Amino acid sequence: MAQLSETYACAPSTERGRGILISGDPKSNSILYCNGRSVLIRYLDRPLHVQVYGEHGYPVTVARYSPNGEWIASADVSGTVRIWGTHNEFVLKKEFKVLSGRIDDLQWSPDGMRIVVCGDGKGKSLVRAFMWDSGSTIGDFDGHSRRVLSCDFKPTRPFRIVTCGEDFLVNLYEGPPFKFKLSIRDHSNFINCVRFSPDGNKFITVSSDKKGLIYDAKTGDKMGEFSSENGHTGSIYAVSWNPDSKQVLTVSADKSAKVWEISEDGSGKVVRTLVCSETGAVEDMLVGCLWQNDHLITVSLGGIINIFSASDLDQAPFSFSGHMKNVTTLTVLKNNQKMLSSSYDGIIIRWIQGVGYSGKIKHKDIPQIKCLVAVEEEIVTSGFDNKVWRVPLSDGECGDAEHVDVGSQPTDVSLAISSPGLALVSIDSGVVLLNGAKVVSNINLGFPVTACAIAPDGSEAIVGGQDGKLHIYSVTGDTLKEETVLEKHRGAITVIEYSPDVSMFASADGFHESVVWDRVSKEVKLNNMLFHTARLNCLAWSPDSTLVATGSLDTCVVIYEIGKPASSRITIKHAHLGGVYGLAFIDDLNVVSSGEDACVRLWRLTQE
Amino acid sequence: MANSSSGMAVHDDCKLKFLELKAKRNYRFIVFKIEEKIQQVTVEKLGEPNESYDDFTASLPADECRYAVYDFDFTTSENCQKSKIFFVAWSPDTSRIRSKMLYASSKDRFRRELDGVQVELQATDPSEMSFDIVKSRAL
């Protein structure tokens, strides 16, 4: 049996030039954000315990708790809103197709009976408000001509809805049934966010013209604006009120977050500027914020979440992050039990069991990563160009990378673990042997190569082809001599791995089958490993060479035991929405897997 | 005996042995093979009552099609001992296409000859007839 013991969650998906919305529930101390097709619920006091809702068919844009904390409404790019319960396994209450385009913001009314939704659409459907349980429309929302970026419900009676968008307008509607009341055109650029204060007296709009304006909530009259002294020098993407309605937090493309004091007459003065980064790169532009209880939460374009303490603004923030895209490789560094995961956009993150996020490995040169192998002191990666990079790793920091041009895009990279200078890289029509950063030989094998592995001592190499055949070569100096060809697989070989004790090797193919072979006799040791239903992406051996884990596009991880028949296997279903792409064993009882949902999960195996 | 759409006749022995399994419970399983030369379905192997499910899977060749009948004993959730007769159409992906076509077209006619089969299962590789799948179909 396998149990989920830790989840290293993904970061919110971000887009340059747009803000994102994160929301939370002060009572349960949790925050909600979206990545891809999943909604993530994270508990601030239990960062390794993450709940994921993956029922949307399209990428999710915003999710919010209802005022009583019992329901969550989430919306996606197809214009669909799903309302589901927080407890009881996320049982779906209702699903409505509300807009004809992407939904950008969603708000509950303070009594939890109505929901207002705004976004992109055609013609009429840019803003819609409806009853939460029946979906019946409760008002006419004309007045916008372009994408509506944000909307909010006034928390106190008399009810108002305010919306703002790309047509530089802020519209006020009163009701129910909601009707257009007035339109305000004070901003000179996209208005990114509008929020009512919790006491219902004012609302603030923030815009890409770097200004923030404060209005009276009942009449819509402009009361004041953020003072320009110490103001933002870039577009302001989001604003969040303090629960006592006296202060707000704003985040901006100028990479800073500011806390403003809003006085009774409606003018705002900067109390504090919080700078979250030292490097000032584009990834540090802040795109989302939330003020919840005592926490000030900011999200950067690079996916880093910083949590400041509101009562002690001088204290350094607690920050964590995750991947934002498909995590394609996963390795475990043996000596210090750290895990390295990398995604195709070139981000490498280090994780520690029991703790979670432990930092991103910063490197200047590597643009994208398709294959990655790591030994203690170095990482070898290849991307989508013709280069293989070798980066020395000391203490988590990268040194200068050296690269080697291998002639065409590498399909697989393998390191001889005992002599890590030696690497085998498979390219489209052959393999390349590397020693350090020099090409030792480039061997054309005549068939398309899809996977390769080199024995830890560098004496033997196994190459798998598109046709499913495994070719075993002995390596002498810079030449390969073919020893045997093994035919059993019915699809292109995707992974080949030697067992840690080097007595066996396992291969997996695109036809959902994997086989374990004895290295010396080349006989099949474990047969019928057919329990997946789609292409196998990854394979890992346990350190004692008794267990083999395979991960597949069908989202399952199956663990087989050598010596027992394949049918007595442990299956982990739905390990990662979208497919499992990376697998590694930390020790004989713990497996870590990563997948398309940008999360990394740690499973504990227990004997039944 | 009337012929199936593929022209295959069923040997009388098949039906007799099946009735013995059903009534007297003196076999655990029966494996049937189509003999192309004589155009008939014949009994290939009979399993003793003390043989297990693994013996049954072992007697099915890995790259040839067969029909099989297995008498499966299990305990229900209310703790009663029950037994169900499974008909397995074993058609591995690695077998020849001609073999698969032959067995597929004759299956319906043949199965109707065996009156009293409770569950039918088609397996194209060993994972599709693993013990847990059989158990879940029985309940």
Side-chain angles (χ1 to χ4, degrees):
Chain A
M1 285 297 300
Q3 267 177 320
L4 179 60
S5 73
E6 289 169 28
T7 306
Y8 304 139
C10 48
S13 47
T14 56
E15 194 191 332
R16 186 168 175 178
R18 297 229 178 281
I20 63 156
L21 296 161
I22 51 174
S23 69
D25 184 24
K27 275 182 292 202
S28 60
N29 204 14
S30 57
I31 54 173
L32 278 183
Y33 57 79
C34 316
N35 179 308
R37 287 186 290 145
S38 330
V39 177
L40 286 118
I41 305 175
R42 301 208 57 175
Y43 297 94
L44 294 176
D45 48 1
R46 287 173 280 158
L48 295 174
H49 182 87
V50 174
Q51 290 188 299
V52 177
Y53 179 75
E55 302 290 321
H56 276 274
Y58 294 88
V60 193
T61 49
V62 63
R64 287 212 195 271
Y65 276 101
S66 67
N68 59 8
E70 288 299 309
W71 305 97
I72 296 181
S74 54
D76 63 24
V77 300
S78 72
T80 312
V81 174
R82 280 184 151 243
I83 302 169
W84 36 283
T86 326
H87 313 290
N88 200 12
E89 292 196 0
F90 303 154
V91 58
L92 178 69
K93 164 114 175 125
K94 270 295 180 155
E95 182 183 16
F96 303 109
K97 178 120 197 287
V98 176
L99 295 185
S100 57
R102 180 199 169 101
I103 294 183
D104 285 309
D105 200 356
L106 180 154
Q107 293 288 352
W108 291 82
S109 67
D111 57 358
M113 302 291 288
R114 299 174 186 81
I115 296 180
V116 65
V117 148
C118 69
D120 212 354
K122 296 168 197 28
K124 277 222 135 195
S125 67
L126 290 166
V127 183
R128 196 71 95 69
F130 54 96
M131 300 299 290
W132 81 298
D133 48 358
S134 63
S136 47
T137 314
I138 45 172
D140 256 327
F141 292 89
D142 302 327
H144 276 292
S145 55
R146 290 178 66 181
R147 182 165 164 184
V148 180
L149 293 171
S150 182
C151 58
D152 201 5
F153 241 110
K154 183 163 175 288
T156 55
R157 284 184 186 278
F159 283 146
R160 299 265 182 283
I161 290 181
V162 66
T163 64
C164 65
E166 285 186 0
D167 46 8
F168 313 167
L169 292 176
V170 175
N171 283 354
L172 198 62
Y173 301 87
E174 62 179 20
F178 289 96
K179 275 193 299 291
F180 176 80
K181 172 130 181 278
L182 57 86
S183 183
I184 310 166
R185 205 198 162 92
D186 283 332
H187 278 292
S188 51
N189 203 333
F190 293 0
I191 307 169
N192 290 313
C193 195
V194 62
R195 290 284 176 258
F196 276 101
S197 62
D199 62 3
N201 288 338
K202 312 184 193 57
F203 67 86
I204 292 192
T205 61
V206 290
S207 159
S208 292
D209 62 2
K210 307 169 204 157
K211 288 202 299 215
L213 300 174
I214 302 148
Y215 298 86
D216 179 286
K218 249 197 312 228
T219 58
D221 295 329
K222 178 165 165 194
M223 286 170 73
E225 61 177 68
F226 284 175
S227 73
S228 44
E229 173 192 334
N230 277 339
H232 278 298
T233 51
S235 306
I236 310 179
Y237 285 123
V239 64
S240 183
W241 284 88
N242 184 335
D244 67 14
S245 303
K246 294 231 179 27
Q247 293 182 326
V248 289
L249 172 68
T250 58
V251 287
S252 156
D254 66 359
K255 299 154 201 154
S256 71
K258 291 186 196 289
V259 179
W260 306 76
E261 174 93 31
I262 308 291
S263 54
E264 271 317 305
D265 66 353
S267 61
K269 274 208 289 288
V270 178
V271 166
R272 197 53 202 253
T273 302
L274 304 163
V275 177
C276 312
S277 83
E278 319 81 38
T279 55
V282 166
E283 286 87 48
D284 295 318
M285 284 194 193
L286 294 173
V287 290
C289 70
L290 182 67
W291 193 320
Q292 183 161 290
N293 299 341
D294 184 45
H295 305 291
L296 293 170
I297 303 166
T298 62
V299 181
S300 75
L301 188 65
I304 299 188
I305 302 178
N306 281 310
I307 304 185
F308 294 85
S309 162
S311 45
D312 182 4
L313 290 170
D314 286 318
Q315 198 183 30
F318 173 62
S319 57
F320 56 94
S321 180
H323 281 285
M324 289 188 293
K325 297 268 191 289
N326 185 348
V327 182
T328 48
T329 71
L330 195 54
T331 42
V332 176
L333 293 175
K334 296 283 178 325
N335 61 351
N336 49 9
Q337 296 296 73
K338 295 212 184 108
M339 293 163 264
L340 284 183
S341 59
S342 77
S343 53
Y344 68 79
D345 52 2
I347 296 185
I348 307 177
I349 295 185
R350 197 177 47 231
W351 310 91
I352 300 181
Q353 183 182 6
V355 171
Y357 178 73
S358 153
K360 279 194 194 171
I361 307 247
K362 297 196 218 315
H363 51 84
K364 306 178 293 284
D365 312 298
I366 309 174
Q368 282 155 333
I369 298 179
K370 184 174 162 198
C371 317
L372 182 148
V373 256
V375 283
E376 290 327 315
E377 309 81 35
E378 105 183 291
I379 300 179
V380 179
T381 79
S382 74
F384 295 105
D385 52 17
N386 295 349
K387 302 196 179 74
V388 172
W389 296 84
R390 294 191 91 114
V391 187
L393 192 65
S394 56
D395 244 1
E397 294 307 318
C398 279
D400 289 320
E402 294 180 304
H403 69 92
V404 163
D405 189 314
V406 292
S408 65
Q409 189 186 122
T411 51
D412 202 1
V413 175
S414 176
L415 275 185
I417 304 178
S418 315
S419 51
L422 198 57
L424 185 68
V425 177
S426 62
I427 54 178
D428 185 44
S429 55
V431 289
V432 176
L433 268 172
L434 296 176
N435 195 337
K438 296 204 189 4
V439 176
V440 169
S441 62
N442 188 328
I443 304 157
N444 188 320
L445 294 170
F447 56 86
V449 179
T450 48
C452 67
I454 185 166
D457 58 356
S459 62
E460 192 181 65
I462 308 178
V463 174
Q466 181 96 9
D467 51 5
K469 296 196 188 141
L470 287 167
H471 300 251
I472 304 186
Y473 297 90
S474 59
V475 180
T476 41
D478 60 353
T479 48
L480 297 179
K481 182 163 127 332
E482 182 167 303
E483 305 274 339
T484 359
V485 178
L486 298 172
E487 288 183 38
K488 187 171 163 55
H489 284 284
R490 286 169 275 175
I493 310 284
T494 51
V495 190
I496 310 174
E497 292 280 342
Y498 277 94
S499 64
D501 64 0
V502 206
S503 66
M504 300 175 271
F505 62 90
S507 53
D509 65 18
F511 185 67
H512 70 74
E513 182 175 16
S514 58
V515 184
V516 177
W517 311 79
D518 183 289
R519 184 197 175 180
V520 175
S521 66
K522 314 286 191 289
E523 280 181 4
V524 176
K525 261 205 116 134
L526 188 54
N527 203 350
N528 288 341
M529 295 164 72
L530 282 158
F531 291 90
H532 281 288
T533 50
R535 179 183 88 218
L536 294 182
N537 287 326
C538 47
L539 191 151
W541 283 90
S542 64
D544 60 3
S545 304
T546 55
L547 298 173
V548 175
T550 53
S552 157
L553 190 63
D554 66 0
T555 75
C556 299
V557 175
V558 179
I559 300 164
Y560 302 94
E561 193 170 330
I562 309 283
K564 286 204 191 148
S567 50
S568 64
R569 70 226 182 262
I570 303 175
T571 312
I572 303 175
K573 287 203 173 153
H574 310 303
H576 292 273
L577 188 67
V580 180
Y581 282 87
L583 263 186
F585 271 85
I586 299 185
D587 52 42
D588 296 324
L589 287 175
N590 289 302
V591 186
V592 64
S593 67
S594 70
E596 178 148 340
D597 58 356
C599 294
V600 176
R601 292 197 166 88
L602 188 68
W603 310 87
R604 186 172 189 79
L605 303 174
T606 51
Q607 295 305 320
E608 257 164 89
Chain B
M1 298 238 166
N3 289 345
S4 67
S5 60
S6 65
M8 214 51 53
V10 179
H11 194 262
D12 291 337
D13 206 26
C14 301
K15 182 126 192 210
L16 287 169
K17 291 282 181 289
F18 176 72
L19 288 170
E20 270 186 62
L21 180 150
K22 201 167 72 159
K24 290 191 258 174
R25 306 233 168 253
N26 53 353
Y27 304 115
R28 172 66 53 199
F29 60 85
I30 311 175
V31 180
F32 303 95
K33 183 177 172 181
I34 293 185
E35 296 283 352
E36 245 183 284
K37 295 186 189 56
I38 53 174
Q39 296 260 309
Q40 266 205 348
V41 183
T42 54
V43 172
E44 193 198 22
K45 183 168 183 224
L46 293 163
E48 295 300 308
N50 57 356
E51 291 193 41
S52 71
Y53 189 75
D54 292 321
D55 294 318
F56 170 55
T57 17
S59 53
L60 291 173
D63 47 9
E64 274 184 39
C65 302
R66 291 286 185 271
Y67 299 126
V69 165
Y70 185 82
D71 187 11
F72 183 58
D73 288 326
F74 61 100
T75 328
T76 62
S77 49
E78 290 106 29
N79 257 341
C80 21
Q81 276 285 42
K82 277 174 124 192
S83 143
K84 281 201 182 170
I85 300 183
F86 277 70
F87 178 81
V88 179
W90 169 243
S91 222
D93 279 326
T94 44
S95 56
R96 287 168 48 241
I97 304 219
R98 188 187 167 74
S99 175
K100 284 187 246 188
M101 284 246 37
L102 195 60
Y103 276 79
S105 53
S106 322
K107 181 192 79 164
D108 197 43
R109 177 67 185 75
F110 177 61
R111 215 202 68 132
R112 269 191 262 126
E113 290 281 325
L114 309 177
D115 183 28
V117 161
Q118 282 141 320
V119 188
E120 187 180 325
L121 196 61
Q122 187 193 31
T124 58
D125 63 40
S127 71
E128 288 186 15
M129 50 180 277
S130 65
F131 192 72
D132 31 350
I133 294 189
V134 170
K135 192 152 174 216
S136 62
R137 290 289 297 271
L139 293 165

